[in-house]
Amino acid sequence: MAGIEVTSLHKTYPDGTVAVEHVDLSIGDGELFVMLGPSGCGKTTTLRAMAGLERQTSGDIRIGSTVVNDLPPARRDIAMVFQFYALYPHLRTRDNLAFPLRAEGLPKAEVSERVDEAARLMRLEPLLDRKPQRLSGGEQQRVALARALVRRPQVFLMDEPLTNLDAELRADMRTEIKHLQAELGTTMVYVTHDQVEAMSLGHRIAILNKGRVEQIGTPLEVYDRPASLFCARFIGSPPMNLLEVELTDGALRAPGGLVLTPPAGLGRDGSLVAGVRPEGLEIASPGSEDSIPAVVVSAEALGDEIIYVVDHGGDHDVRVRMPPTVRFAADAKVGLRYVGGTPPVYDSSTGKLVA
Ligand code: ATP
């Protein structure tokens, strides 16, 4: 097994597009590391550079103790699974799995042992004699994962492997990938633009924006304290409410009258924006303690929760997450209360977390 060190990775494509700008990543041995970001942020390019499918313009990639910059993909001891799982259509599952091992020239008995083990891990035993056209999308994806597993690589590289599956299958496969990675303990780098997938899978998440790393942290770290306004807008559904605030008399005051507790060490410089999660606000009866007057604009009932859009007299309406049992009609006059503890605060001109 092996960790991965990416140092000052830079990629400019021949047409001049800068896809990756001086990215540093230190991925632990046995870690499930997620690269998350919007389309075009450079995550696939970074992953393909790790795989050896794309040559970086500059920077180093180390897998285990080996600098792999000049090694072809086949000599990097990695297995990659893509969004489009190209199985051989004329081969049965068993032979699709055996293919990379036969290509390596492994003895027959070992091929068969490894295929059986991968089939057991991915619960493919009943499907070993079927060809891809007789498999569902989820089953085909399990075969693609199993085909990566049989190689027993030092590192798995996954590029949006669940994108083509429906919501229920995605959730199931997510659980399977997570269990599998924990069971095998193999380092995995997983690329996605889906923050729910990133949060539920990753030991740590790197959030990329325009070829640069904006933040690296555990799912809870990036949720609780996004490192920039970009991360604050990207993580969470709905995302954080971003309130322009002023620091006066030891309190953060937002237009409309909400008062928040400032983080320790916050200076008065710059124009400040506080990040307030929808669950950091609460709708209460009008006039109730610690609340400011507000009006319900609309409600989105999601079954297990209701997201209310509330006008509190500020520059922007805020979103408030409430249990499904608490019902307010549109136009209801209510109280709005802050219950979110100390919020992260950003400098609106740099977009960076200041405290
Ligand atoms: P997606 O989620 O859409 O796959 P991504 O975050 O994986 O996006 P990349 O595919 O790494 O992003 O692309 C990063 C940037 O590099 C984008 O601006 C993209 O248009 C550009 N790019 C990718 N491949 C090439 C190429 N072969 N030639 C020129 N530009 C490219």
Side-chain angles (χ1 to χ4, degrees), residues 13 15 17 19 38-45 160:
Y13 282 106
D15 68 357
T17 306
S39 182
C41 71
K43 35 194 204 305
T44 295
T45 303
E160 311 240 14

Side-chain angles (χ1 to χ4, degrees), residues 14-328:
D15 68 357
T17 306
V18 179
V20 179
E21 280 193 70
H22 304 296
V23 162
D24 292 311
L25 301 171
S26 185
I27 299 168
D29 185 2
E31 183 169 14
L32 201 175
F33 188 85
V34 175
M35 287 196 285
L36 171 71
S39 182
C41 71
K43 35 194 204 305
T44 295
T45 303
T46 306
L47 195 78
R48 286 174 61 83
M50 289 178 189
L53 298 171
E54 202 70 68
R55 173 74 202 200
Q56 66 265 32
T57 311
S58 58
D60 292 319
I61 299 173
R62 186 186 290 270
I63 299 179
S65 55
T66 312
V67 175
V68 297
N69 296 348
D70 298 318
L71 293 183
R75 291 189 49 216
R76 294 193 180 196
D77 202 4
I78 48 115
M80 198 155 172
V81 180
F82 297 95
Q83 179 178 344
F84 302 103
Y85 28 90
L87 301 177
Y88 301 107
H90 58 290
L91 295 184
R92 296 173 304 164
T93 297
R94 184 189 305 284
D95 298 312
N96 260 297
L97 298 187
F99 192 88
L101 303 179
R102 290 185 187 136
E104 275 179 44
L106 290 187
K108 224 172 167 182
E110 188 170 353
V111 171
S112 153
E113 182 200 318
R114 288 208 200 178
V115 167
D116 287 348
E117 193 202 1
R120 180 184 61 77
L121 281 170
M122 292 312 301
R123 294 187 278 109
L124 288 170
E125 285 116 324
L127 307 175
L128 279 172
D129 288 318
R130 292 208 201 158
K131 289 185 180 169
Q133 81 262 23
R134 290 187 51 226
L135 298 172
S136 70
E139 288 164 348
Q140 289 187 39
Q141 190 57 308
R142 289 203 334 253
V143 177
L145 283 167
R147 196 173 53 177
L149 285 185
V150 288
R151 311 235 332 259
R152 297 186 188 164
Q154 293 204 77
V155 172
F156 288 119
L157 302 176
M158 308 257 170
D159 192 356
E160 311 240 14
L162 307 184
T163 302
N164 292 325
L165 306 179
D166 66 38
E168 197 183 333
L169 257 177
R170 278 175 83 110
D172 286 353
M173 289 295 299
R174 234 166 30 215
T175 312
E176 294 199 20
I177 288 176
K178 199 168 172 165
H179 284 162
L180 193 71
Q181 195 276 339
E183 191 172 332
L184 299 173
T186 310
T187 309
M188 183 183 287
V189 185
Y190 190 105
V191 160
T192 181
H193 64 271
D194 178 343
Q195 47 129 347
V196 175
E197 201 155 281
M199 297 287 285
S200 64
L201 271 178
H203 297 155
R204 285 188 305 153
I205 301 171
I207 302 173
L208 274 77
N209 178 27
K210 295 184 184 151
R212 290 176 180 270
V213 175
E214 292 258 339
Q215 182 169 19
I216 298 178
T218 64
L220 283 183
E221 281 166 357
V222 301
Y223 189 81
D224 288 343
R225 286 180 67 75
S228 63
L229 287 173
F230 173 83
C231 298
R233 292 188 183 104
F234 199 72
I235 296 277
S237 177
M240 274 183 162
N241 298 293
L242 296 170
L243 308 177
E244 283 166 26
V245 287
E246 278 188 13
L247 182 63
T248 46
D249 304 328
L252 287 174
R253 295 170 201 279
L258 271 180
V259 179
L260 318 177
T261 314
L266 180 68
R268 216 175 278 239
D269 299 341
S271 47
L272 303 176
V273 172
V276 175
R277 289 274 173 219
E279 59 272 25
L281 293 167
E282 200 173 75
I283 301 177
S285 319
S288 57
E289 202 183 344
D290 292 334
S291 75
I292 59 165
V295 177
V296 171
V297 176
S298 63
E300 207 179 317
L302 300 174
D304 56 344
E305 62 184 22
I306 302 179
I307 305 295
Y308 287 100
V309 177
V310 175
D311 178 355
H312 64 112
D315 298 336
H316 309 285
D317 294 343
V318 289
R319 287 189 157 66
V320 183
R321 175 173 277 129
M322 295 293 288
T325 44
V326 184
R327 306 267 167 104
F328 295 97

